[in-house]
Amino acid sequence: METGIGLYIHIPFCRQKCAYCDFYSVLAQPGAIDRYLNSLAAEMRLQGQGQLISTVFLGGGTPSLLTARQISTVLDGVSRYFLLAKDAEISMEANPETLLNTDLAAYRVAGINRLSLGVQVLDNDLLPHLGRRHTAQDALTIITRAQAAGFTNLSCDLIYGIPGQTMVGWQHDLQTITARGLPHLSLYCLEVHDETPLGQAINSGKMQLPDPDLAADMYDWAREFLPQQGLVQYEISNFSRPGFECRHNLIYWHNDEYLGLGPAACSYRSGVRACNVADMDTYACLVQSGQRPVGSSECLDVRGSAAETVILGLRLMSGVDAHKFVQRFGVTLEDVFGDTITDLLQRGWLVSTEKGYALSAHMVPLANVVFRCFLTDTNT
Ligand code: SF4
């Protein structure tokens, strides 16, 4: 497998805003997508220097609002300005609603070899609470059609902790999805952002979040159930059959380099994290006039970068790799975080592995508590 960087391409369009979502996206107006693809090509011209790309991730927004022809245009740009590895993983996020009248095989022909479906929940009473316009049956139909179109590398996102969701409903969703034989699942606890319609409904008392203990029980149940179905937990929120781990996201968790294109997309290169402006018009003006559309950037010092590498690595069940840490920073994990590691091993929050350290199984749901220890260590 060739080792290059990851390329994230933001497709900032949605048909309507979901009630819980705080990602940057705008409503798709006629002609806006083609205009955006011109800007994206301009940014590729600016940023592309023939870098080897191992993974491409089309995220959003709703990349599946693009036709297969438009996706093909985007990937042609990638091949033109970068060096796309022959075995590159090329993922596209998709909202089932947008694919109902679409020839899914055309996306495969365009170059997509991994599809990530935003199923979220299989309950027609809960989907409108989330602002989703598809039904449970629509989502299942798209799964069947994607499989028939030859998408063997197929993932779906599910959300737990939704107002009104029950344990029985959650179990039903996981049983229904796993019965379809998908090789990858991502499970997210509903995050409530104050500025979203869901956040406002909860803050004003119109809606109530479920008991946090119930959400925790839902996660625990999934961690027991999914391995019995052959889906191994490889990251805090992700489960897959062996060999179907998301290679693009592994780049993030290994704290390796990636380049983000499009408004609000972030990059991590040579120790610098830079995020593009989160505004379509400003983005278009900048790239069309030959300027990089960076809105903010941060140069991480070595200690900050080391802490980040540990925290991201610990998200993986395989843990943080001590040998790679030495290769990267020229010092051992123990040199930098010796006291914290000793303390966490004594508490039973970390375990030693063949390659380094990992969260102990009972701390996976409480990973943030462990992460804070490394951040505190950094600040001392
Ligand atoms: S969840 Fe996805 S489809 Fe919904 S508004 Fe956010 S980016 Fe758009």
Side-chain angles (χ1 to χ4, degrees):
M1 198 176 289
E2 297 172 89
T3 310
I5 64 169
L7 183 66
Y8 174 81
I9 301 178
H10 195 60
I11 305 295
F13 299 101
C14 293
R15 281 218 175 121
Q16 83 172 26
K17 204 72 190 160
C18 298
Y20 56 95
C21 177
D22 75 335
F23 291 129
Y24 176 70
S25 67
V26 296
L27 296 184
Q29 305 289 354
I33 292 179
D34 281 326
R35 284 196 296 280
Y36 175 63
L37 296 190
N38 280 332
S39 300
L40 198 54
E43 192 185 5
M44 286 188 198
R45 261 196 307 279
L46 282 170
Q47 308 264 34
Q49 292 151 2
Q51 303 96 315
L52 180 62
I53 302 294
S54 309
T55 63
V56 179
F57 194 100
L58 293 151
T62 312
S64 55
L65 278 174
L66 271 60
T67 61
R69 182 188 59 77
Q70 289 168 321
I71 292 289
S72 185
T73 302
V74 173
L75 295 178
D76 284 349
V78 173
S79 298
R80 183 163 171 199
Y81 297 109
F82 300 88
L83 180 61
L84 186 58
K86 285 192 192 71
D87 63 350
E89 174 191 88
I90 305 181
S91 302
M92 180 175 89
E93 286 183 333
N95 182 332
E97 173 214 342
T98 60
L99 296 177
L100 287 169
N101 300 311
T102 306
D103 173 14
L104 288 177
Y107 286 100
R108 282 195 65 225
V109 174
I112 302 297
N113 55 28
R114 181 175 184 277
L115 206 55
S116 173
L117 296 171
V119 171
Q120 318 309 12
V121 65
L122 292 173
D123 182 322
N124 290 336
D125 291 330
L126 297 184
L127 281 161
H129 288 184
L130 296 178
R132 305 291 289 186
R133 295 176 6 153
H134 57 85
T135 64
Q137 194 51 46
D138 291 339
L140 295 175
T141 300
I142 295 302
I143 290 174
T144 305
R145 286 186 41 217
Q147 289 171 322
F151 279 104
T152 48
N153 201 347
L154 188 58
S155 177
C156 92
D157 290 354
L158 291 175
I159 299 179
Y160 60 96
I162 303 169
Q165 191 178 27
T166 63
M167 179 60 108
V168 171
W170 174 241
Q171 292 171 339
H172 161 267
D173 288 4
L174 288 178
Q175 283 158 344
T176 306
I177 291 291
T178 51
R180 308 271 161 157
L182 273 70
H184 191 283
L185 278 188
S186 300
L187 311 182
Y188 300 107
C189 187
L190 182 68
E191 278 184 33
V192 179
H193 303 281
D194 286 346
E195 68 285 3
T196 61
L198 182 77
Q200 285 159 7
I202 286 171
N203 289 338
S204 67
K206 284 192 195 132
M207 229 183 236
Q208 259 195 327
L209 275 180
D211 181 344
D213 287 346
L214 175 60
D217 288 348
M218 288 174 170
Y219 180 63
D220 288 345
W221 192 85
R223 290 182 69 209
E224 262 194 59
F225 173 72
L226 293 176
Q228 294 161 13
Q229 313 305 311
L231 292 161
V232 179
Q233 182 171 23
Y234 71 98
E235 193 268 346
I236 290 173
S237 306
N238 288 278
F239 299 75
S240 82
R241 295 192 192 290
F244 286 92
E245 299 84 1
C246 176
R247 283 171 50 201
H248 184 81
N249 286 340
L250 283 171
I251 288 176
Y252 298 146
W253 297 318
H254 289 147
N255 208 13
D256 287 335
E257 299 205 332
Y258 54 88
L259 179 63
L261 303 178
C266 294
S267 305
Y268 180 57
R269 311 287 315 272
S270 311
V272 178
R273 175 161 314 98
C275 292
N276 283 351
V277 288
D279 179 84
M280 279 291 272
D281 294 338
T282 314
Y283 169 80
C285 273
L286 287 169
V287 294
Q288 299 290 0
S289 62
Q291 297 175 68
R292 290 185 59 192
V294 176
S296 63
S297 67
E298 178 190 12
C299 184
L300 295 173
D301 62 17
V302 174
R303 203 168 168 85
S305 182
E308 207 171 77
T309 301
V310 172
I311 289 168
L312 288 166
L314 288 176
R315 290 192 64 90
L316 294 166
M317 298 306 107
S318 56
V320 56
D321 187 320
H323 180 62
K324 280 195 188 153
F325 187 92
V326 173
Q327 280 182 331
R328 180 165 185 164
F329 296 103
V331 285
T332 66
L333 273 166
E334 294 76 12
D335 286 337
V336 189
F337 299 109
D339 291 347
T340 300
I341 290 172
T342 305
D343 178 45
L344 294 175
L345 287 170
Q346 276 168 359
R347 288 172 192 246
W349 292 6
L350 280 190
V351 290
S352 297
T353 66
E354 228 171 80
K355 291 192 166 176
Y357 301 99
L359 291 173
S360 55
H362 75 282
M363 288 308 288
V364 171
L366 303 169
N368 285 338
V369 176
V370 177
F371 298 163
R372 270 198 291 275
C373 298
F374 286 97
L375 288 172
T376 312
D377 188 323
T378 307
N379 293 331
T380 52

